């Protein structure tokens, strides 16, 4: 994978983290693929509509979403990003502060390309 292709995916991911930190539903809607599959660190799975609905309704309010480290690999029309992030989010059950280990998948091509997120709490 070329340095410019890696940087393009990293730029998309940085935009997504900033949009999440700002609870920018319109910005997120542009970045998320319609067939998004989002697996939270607690095992809950959401599609794009449910993910955005919870932010719009205030059920989930991101306070901070900060990438700490990452590396990328391209294979079969997808770019896989493996990283760590710190997250602070308010939800109905209270505030969560977690360090996450994650895999993010970006589909090659134009338009929204962020298709898969899977995260676990780091130990």
């Amino acid at each position: 994978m070329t340095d410019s292709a890696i940087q393009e995916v990293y730029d998309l991911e940085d935009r997504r983290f900033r949009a999440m930190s700002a609870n920018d539903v319109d910005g997120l809607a542009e970045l998320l693929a319609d067939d998004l599959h989002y697996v939270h660190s607690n095992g809950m799975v959401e599609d794009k509509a449910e993910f955005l609905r919870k932010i719009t309704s205030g059920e989930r309010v991101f306070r901070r979403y900060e990438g700490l480290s990452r590396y990328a690999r391209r294979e079969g029309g997808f770019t896989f990003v493996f990283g760590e992030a710190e997250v602070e989010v308010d939800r109905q059950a209270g505030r969560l502060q977690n360090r996450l280990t994650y895999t993010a998948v970006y589909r090659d091509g134009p338009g929204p390309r962020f298709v898969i997120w899977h995260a676990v709490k780091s130990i």
Side-chain angles (χ1 to χ4, degrees):
M1 184 170 203
T2 67
D3 288 344
S4 64
I6 290 172
Q7 191 58 52
E8 180 184 4
V9 169
Y10 286 168
D11 290 346
L12 286 170
E13 188 161 82
D14 291 344
R15 283 179 50 205
R16 185 171 59 82
F17 285 177
R18 283 191 305 273
M20 289 174 76
S21 294
N23 295 283
D24 178 2
V25 174
D26 293 334
L28 283 168
E30 291 177 19
L31 296 169
L32 307 179
D34 289 339
D35 58 341
L36 175 70
H37 186 83
Y38 198 102
V39 181
H40 294 271
S41 63
N42 65 1
M44 180 176 31
V45 180
E46 294 175 341
D47 62 11
K48 179 180 180 176
E50 183 66 5
F51 183 80
L52 294 175
R53 185 196 68 72
K54 286 189 175 178
I55 296 169
T56 301
S57 72
E59 290 176 56
R60 181 179 299 134
V61 179
F62 289 99
R63 299 293 178 200
R64 184 169 68 101
Y65 220 104
E66 180 182 351
L68 302 175
S69 66
R70 62 188 170 193
Y71 68 94
R73 179 175 109 190
R74 187 178 183 305
E75 193 172 311
F78 295 91
T79 300
F80 300 85
V81 179
F82 306 96
E84 284 191 303
E86 287 191 356
V87 178
E88 186 173 339
V89 59
D90 291 338
R91 56 196 180 98
Q92 291 177 330
R95 181 166 288 183
L96 281 177
Q97 291 178 293
N98 288 318
R99 179 175 282 219
L100 304 175
T101 299
Y102 69 87
T103 301
V105 181
Y106 294 81
R107 183 176 28 238
D108 291 351
R113 303 182 322 183
F114 175 64
V115 293
I116 297 172
W117 173 265
H118 189 223
V120 296
K121 294 175 190 167
S122 297
I123 314 175

